[in-house]
Amino acid sequence: MSAGAIARDLLAKLLDAGNKHAAGARARAPALTATHLKPYSELRSWQHKQECDETFLAARDAGAVTLQRDKLNPKDGLFERIDLVEVQALARFLGRSTYADQLAQTVAQLEPLKADFPVILEMIGRWTGMAKVRGLGPQDAGAWIDAAKTIRACASRSQDAIATPVREFSARLFLDSKRIEALPAQLDVLLSGSIEESPRTAAQVWQELGLFREEHPVLLAGLVHITRGRSAGLIDAPYMGLPAGTIQGVASKVTEVITIENKTTFHSEAKRRQDHEVLLIYTAGMPSPAWRAMYMRLLVSLSPATPIFHWGDVDEGGFRIASTIAAVTKAAGFKLQPYAMSPDDVPTAMRVKASARTLERIHHFACAADWPDLGRSVLEAGFVAEQEALERS
């Protein structure tokens, strides 16, 4: 690294400290002390030190910093301390934007998205204090704009196009087949509406949008006959996987339907109840649009008195999934009921304390699923738990 580059790198560190101070993330006044200035003070060449001095003096002349030389040689000695005077001036000197300017620019760019994606307000709150969201700061507003564009485009598709290869969809939308694959964190935050919910895999995010790298079949279990596009038959034991688009309805008696969020729990229940007249359906997390269309077809083929249940995680994601399934259930003329999702069903050792914000969102989604009493119970209990902790013996 050249001497001039060393000086500019040190001043860039001072600018970072100034940004933090301006955002309230740092209490101490920004300054470079002797410890910070070691890369400069340890230079062996007098000429290189002079190059650094010229950069520091230019920053001072720009009104960005004040300089203190060695007290024993105040005229020609090394600079031992550099204090920040004005963060905007230093940013201009370095040809950079301040964090406050970058944030203001990003806020303005994301303004049109706030109505559809209120979580952006929470993101801005985090960024204002220089905290990150999923490791992301305000530097790339375009990624959030493209994520919102993707979500809107997926929602506006016709019923015939609700399952699409992700690269094919990305190429049509952005003229870049890999653009959507670069946005999993942004898509996840905007879809979940939460900056606290645990990150999902890219495949789980795409599934919610009806996108896939390779399409997965729907897993079903139980002593139930299913009608399909070209045939009808009994679900094999312990379970069977079928393309969502081929499943048309139920052709036998069903005592109850239970959708199950997690694969481990589904497999356990499938083995336990494979000879029962109960229809078990694995949602694979947040169900895709194709899954929801399939679920609607199954429900409308059932007796109106059939009990419909959902078994998911006792956490924010689990209740968001439940509210999505409940909307389809209601549209089909049924009421979705929770299965083993009460706080009382959770063993003490499996309880994980939750934040007030998470509990409020669980309550919100529980109410959206028409489970207000359960939402209140979770809110009062103050913890979350994964579905595997609630398995039946």
Side-chain angles (χ1 to χ4, degrees), residues 100-132:
D101 287 342
Q102 177 64 71
L103 178 59
Q105 181 180 352
T106 295
V107 169
Q109 290 177 288
L110 298 185
E111 181 67 33
L113 307 182
K114 290 179 184 177
D116 290 341
F117 305 99
V119 70
I120 287 172
L121 294 171
E122 294 183 60
M123 290 160 40
I124 292 170
R126 285 282 184 92
W127 289 337
T128 299
M130 291 198 76
K132 293 187 176 182

Coordinates of all heavy atoms in Angstrom, one line a residue, residues 100-132:
A100 N -25.2 9.1 7.1 CA -26.5 9.8 7.2 C -27.0 10.1 5.8 O -28.2 9.9 5.5 CB -26.3 11.0 8.0
D101 N -26.1 10.5 4.9 CA -26.5 10.8 3.5 C -27.0 9.5 2.8 O -28.0 9.5 2.1 CB -25.4 11.4 2.7 CG -25.1 12.9 3.1 OD1 -26.0 13.5 3.8 OD2 -24.1 13.4 2.8
Q102 N -26.2 8.4 3.0 CA -26.6 7.2 2.3 C -28.0 6.7 2.9 O -28.8 6.2 2.1 CB -25.5 6.1 2.6 CG -25.9 4.7 2.1 CD -25.9 4.7 0.6 OE1 -24.9 4.8 -0.1 NE2 -27.1 4.5 0.0
L103 N -28.2 6.8 4.2 CA -29.4 6.4 4.8 C -30.6 7.2 4.2 O -31.6 6.7 3.9 CB -29.4 6.5 6.3 CG -30.6 6.1 7.0 CD1 -31.1 4.7 6.7 CD2 -30.4 6.3 8.5
A104 N -30.4 8.5 4.2 CA -31.4 9.4 3.6 C -31.8 9.1 2.2 O -33.0 9.1 1.8 CB -31.0 10.9 3.8
Q105 N -30.8 8.8 1.4 CA -31.0 8.4 0.0 C -31.8 7.1 -0.1 O -32.8 7.0 -0.8 CB -29.7 8.2 -0.7 CG -29.9 7.9 -2.2 CD -28.5 7.8 -2.9 OE1 -27.5 8.1 -2.3 NE2 -28.5 7.3 -4.1
T106 N -31.4 6.1 0.8 CA -32.1 4.8 0.8 C -33.6 5.0 1.2 O -34.5 4.4 0.7 CB -31.4 3.8 1.6 OG1 -30.1 3.6 1.1 CG2 -32.1 2.5 1.8
V107 N -33.8 5.8 2.3 CA -35.1 6.0 2.8 C -36.0 6.6 1.7 O -37.2 6.2 1.5 CB -35.1 6.9 4.0 CG1 -36.5 7.4 4.4 CG2 -34.4 6.2 5.2
A108 N -35.5 7.5 1.0 CA -36.3 8.1 -0.1 C -36.6 7.1 -1.2 O -37.7 7.1 -1.7 CB -35.5 9.3 -0.7
Q109 N -35.7 6.2 -1.5 CA -35.9 5.2 -2.6 C -36.9 4.2 -2.1 O -37.6 3.6 -2.9 CB -34.5 4.6 -2.9 CG -33.6 5.5 -3.7 CD -32.3 4.8 -4.0 OE1 -31.5 4.6 -3.1 NE2 -32.0 4.5 -5.2
L110 N -36.9 3.9 -0.8 CA -37.8 2.8 -0.3 C -39.2 3.4 0.1 O -40.1 2.6 0.4 CB -37.2 2.1 0.9 CG -35.9 1.4 0.6 CD1 -35.5 0.6 1.9 CD2 -36.0 0.4 -0.5
E111 N -39.4 4.7 0.0 CA -40.6 5.3 0.4 C -41.8 4.7 -0.3 O -42.8 4.4 0.4 CB -40.5 6.8 0.2 CG -41.8 7.6 0.6 CD -42.0 7.6 2.1 OE1 -41.0 7.6 2.8 OE2 -43.2 7.6 2.5
P112 N -41.8 4.5 -1.6 CA -43.0 3.9 -2.3 C -43.3 2.5 -1.8 O -44.4 2.0 -2.1 CB -42.6 3.9 -3.8 CG -41.4 4.9 -3.8 CD -40.7 4.8 -2.5
L113 N -42.4 1.8 -1.1 CA -42.7 0.4 -0.7 C -43.3 0.3 0.6 O -43.8 -0.8 1.0 CB -41.3 -0.4 -0.7 CG -40.5 -0.3 -2.0 CD1 -39.3 -1.2 -1.8 CD2 -41.3 -0.8 -3.2
K114 N -43.3 1.4 1.4 CA -43.7 1.3 2.8 C -45.1 0.8 3.0 O -45.4 0.1 4.0 CB -43.5 2.6 3.5 CG -42.0 3.0 3.7 CD -41.9 4.4 4.4 CE -40.5 4.8 4.5 NZ -40.4 6.2 5.1
A115 N -46.0 1.2 2.1 CA -47.4 0.9 2.3 C -47.7 -0.6 2.2 O -48.4 -1.2 3.0 CB -48.3 1.6 1.2
D116 N -47.0 -1.3 1.2 CA -47.1 -2.7 1.1 C -46.2 -3.5 2.0 O -46.5 -4.7 2.3 CB -46.8 -3.1 -0.4 CG -47.9 -2.6 -1.4 OD1 -49.0 -2.3 -0.9 OD2 -47.6 -2.6 -2.6
F117 N -45.1 -2.9 2.4 CA -44.2 -3.6 3.3 C -43.8 -2.8 4.5 O -42.7 -2.1 4.5 CB -42.9 -3.9 2.4 CG -43.2 -4.7 1.2 CD1 -43.2 -4.1 -0.1 CD2 -43.4 -6.1 1.2 CE1 -43.5 -4.8 -1.2 CE2 -43.7 -6.8 0.0 CZ -43.7 -6.1 -1.2
P118 N -44.7 -2.7 5.5 CA -44.4 -1.9 6.7 C -43.2 -2.2 7.4 O -42.7 -1.4 8.2 CB -45.7 -2.1 7.5 CG -46.7 -2.7 6.6 CD -46.0 -3.4 5.5
V119 N -42.6 -3.4 7.2 CA -41.4 -3.8 7.9 C -40.2 -2.9 7.5 O -39.3 -2.8 8.3 CB -41.0 -5.3 7.6 CG1 -40.6 -5.5 6.1 CG2 -39.9 -5.8 8.5
I120 N -40.4 -2.2 6.4 CA -39.3 -1.2 6.0 C -39.1 -0.2 7.1 O -38.0 0.3 7.3 CB -39.7 -0.6 4.6 CG1 -39.4 -1.7 3.6 CG2 -38.8 0.6 4.4 CD1 -39.9 -1.3 2.2
L121 N -40.2 0.2 7.8 CA -40.1 1.2 8.8 C -39.2 0.7 10.0 O -38.4 1.4 10.6 CB -41.4 1.6 9.4 CG -42.4 2.3 8.4 CD1 -43.8 2.4 9.0 CD2 -41.8 3.7 8.1
E122 N -39.3 -0.6 10.3 CA -38.5 -1.2 11.3 C -37.0 -1.3 10.8 O -36.1 -1.1 11.6 CB -39.0 -2.6 11.6 CG -40.3 -2.7 12.3 CD -40.7 -4.1 12.7 OE1 -40.0 -4.8 13.4 OE2 -41.7 -4.6 12.1
M123 N -36.8 -1.6 9.6 CA -35.5 -1.7 9.0 C -34.8 -0.3 9.1 O -33.6 -0.2 9.6 CB -35.5 -2.1 7.5 CG -35.9 -3.6 7.3 SD -36.5 -3.9 5.7 CE -35.4 -3.0 4.7
I124 N -35.5 0.7 8.8 CA -35.0 2.1 8.8 C -34.6 2.4 10.3 O -33.6 3.1 10.5 CB -36.0 3.1 8.2 CG1 -36.1 2.9 6.7 CG2 -35.5 4.5 8.5 CD1 -37.2 3.6 6.1
G125 N -35.5 2.0 11.2 CA -35.2 2.3 12.6 C -33.9 1.6 13.0 O -33.1 2.2 13.8
R126 N -33.6 0.4 12.6 CA -32.4 -0.3 12.9 C -31.2 0.4 12.2 O -30.2 0.6 12.9 CB -32.4 -1.7 12.4 CG -33.3 -2.7 13.2 CD -32.5 -3.1 14.5 NE -33.3 -4.1 15.3 CZ -33.2 -5.4 15.1 NH1 -32.3 -5.9 14.2 NH2 -33.9 -6.2 15.9
W127 N -31.4 0.8 11.0 CA -30.3 1.4 10.2 C -29.9 2.8 10.8 O -28.8 3.2 10.8 CB -30.7 1.6 8.8 CG -30.7 0.3 8.0 CD1 -30.0 -0.9 8.3 CD2 -31.4 0.0 6.8 NE1 -30.3 -1.9 7.4 CE2 -31.1 -1.3 6.4 CE3 -32.3 0.8 6.0 CZ2 -31.7 -1.9 5.3 CZ3 -32.8 0.2 4.9 CH2 -32.5 -1.2 4.5
T128 N -30.9 3.5 11.4 CA -30.7 4.8 11.9 C -29.6 4.7 13.0 O -28.8 5.6 13.2 CB -32.0 5.4 12.4 OG1 -32.9 5.6 11.3 CG2 -31.7 6.8 13.1
G129 N -29.7 3.6 13.8 CA -28.7 3.4 14.9 C -27.5 2.6 14.4 O -26.7 2.2 15.2
M130 N -27.3 2.5 13.1 CA -26.2 1.8 12.4 C -26.2 0.3 12.7 O -25.1 -0.4 12.6 CB -24.8 2.4 12.8 CG -24.6 3.8 12.2 SD -22.9 4.3 12.1 CE -22.3 3.3 10.8
A131 N -27.3 -0.3 13.2 CA -27.4 -1.7 13.3 C -27.8 -2.2 11.9 O -28.4 -1.5 11.1 CB -28.5 -2.1 14.3
K132 N -27.6 -3.5 11.7 CA -27.9 -4.1 10.4 C -29.1 -5.0 10.5 O -29.5 -5.5 11.6 CB -26.7 -4.9 9.8 CG -25.5 -4.0 9.5 CD -24.4 -4.7 8.8 CE -23.3 -3.8 8.4 NZ -22.2 -4.5 7.7

